[in-house]
Amino acid sequence: MVTSKMMNLIYTLTTCDEELEQIIKLQQNNLPSSISKKEKEAEGFVTVIHDITILKKMNSKQPHIIAKDKDKVVGYALCMLKDFKDDIEILKPMFAMIDNHLDLSSSYVVMGQVCIDKVYRRQGIFRGLYQAMKNELEKKYDFLITEVASNNIRSLQAHQAIGFKTLVTYESDNIQWHLIYWDWK
């Protein structure tokens, strides 16, 4: 558990269904269909829609990382193991790219989605979530992998600032994706 001096933030692992339900609500508020084009370009967006069942399954294998202000989840970084490569349709091409471009003897975890509540942005929470993720997982995995849509410029820049590098760029369902990784070895 990491505590932030800003507000009363705590970075920790998810421990209960209430936190998972708050993740779903935060996700729904940041889907492209829930925000304006201007906000999408300026703030970024999330692409994948999870349901509570898949979040629970993912969490049971590797708990998600969350930022909390008291009892409120204000940010999250979802953890997804390769065990789930067939469970979310939109992510199947990403896992195929991972299999084709990464040494399969390497261990990795996928950051399945990162999101920060609008009120809490630009306060270091994105970086805090990733640092908490690294602190929690770097002894278990060689790499953290995720993908970002090419048109999600804000997210791409934020990931590069943390240390992610592009493994490959590819197109799937008329969307260009950057498959990016953070080497923890």
Side-chain angles (χ1 to χ4, degrees), residues 51-58:
D51 63 33
I52 196 71
T53 303
I54 192 68
L55 275 189
K56 283 182 184 181
K57 284 182 190 177
M58 290 164 49

Side-chain angles (χ1 to χ4, degrees), residues 5-23:
K5 294 184 195 263
M6 301 176 302
M7 301 163 275
N8 293 314
L9 284 185
I10 296 173
Y11 296 92
T12 189
L13 300 172
T14 49
T15 59
C16 65
D17 288 352
E18 181 183 341
E19 291 167 342
L20 296 175
E21 289 165 7
Q22 288 184 50
I23 288 171

Side-chain angles (χ1 to χ4, degrees), residues 7-50:
M7 301 163 275
N8 293 314
L9 284 185
I10 296 173
Y11 296 92
T12 189
L13 300 172
T14 49
T15 59
C16 65
D17 288 352
E18 181 183 341
E19 291 167 342
L20 296 175
E21 289 165 7
Q22 288 184 50
I23 288 171
I24 294 285
K25 184 170 175 50
L26 187 51
Q27 179 184 81
Q28 290 169 346
N29 291 339
N30 289 280
L31 291 165
S33 60
S34 301
I35 59 178
S36 69
K37 182 179 178 190
K38 183 178 177 183
E39 185 177 352
K40 182 178 160 184
E41 290 169 1
E43 299 290 328
F45 56 92
V46 297
T47 302
V48 180
I49 300 171
H50 298 84

Side-chain angles (χ1 to χ4, degrees), residues 93-94 97 147 150 168-179:
M94 177 191 69
M97 286 290 141
E147 68 179 357
S150 294
V168 66
T169 305
Y170 70 98
E171 189 170 314
S172 175
D173 293 327
N174 296 318
I175 299 171
Q176 186 177 17
W177 296 96
H178 287 255
L179 184 62

Side-chain angles (χ1 to χ4, degrees), residues 54 56-63 79-89 91-92 94-96 98-99 104 106-111 140-141:
I54 192 68
K56 283 182 184 181
K57 284 182 190 177
M58 290 164 49
N59 196 63
S60 71
K61 296 278 187 166
Q62 178 57 65
C79 298
M80 179 181 276
L81 302 182
K82 55 186 161 188
D83 303 6
F84 297 97
K85 70 181 188 176
D86 295 322
D87 290 5
I88 300 175
E89 194 64 35
L91 297 181
K92 287 180 181 179
M94 177 191 69
F95 279 104
I98 292 170
D99 288 347
L104 296 180
S106 298
S107 64
Y108 68 89
V109 61
V110 171
M111 192 291 299
K140 294 196 233 177
Y141 305 102

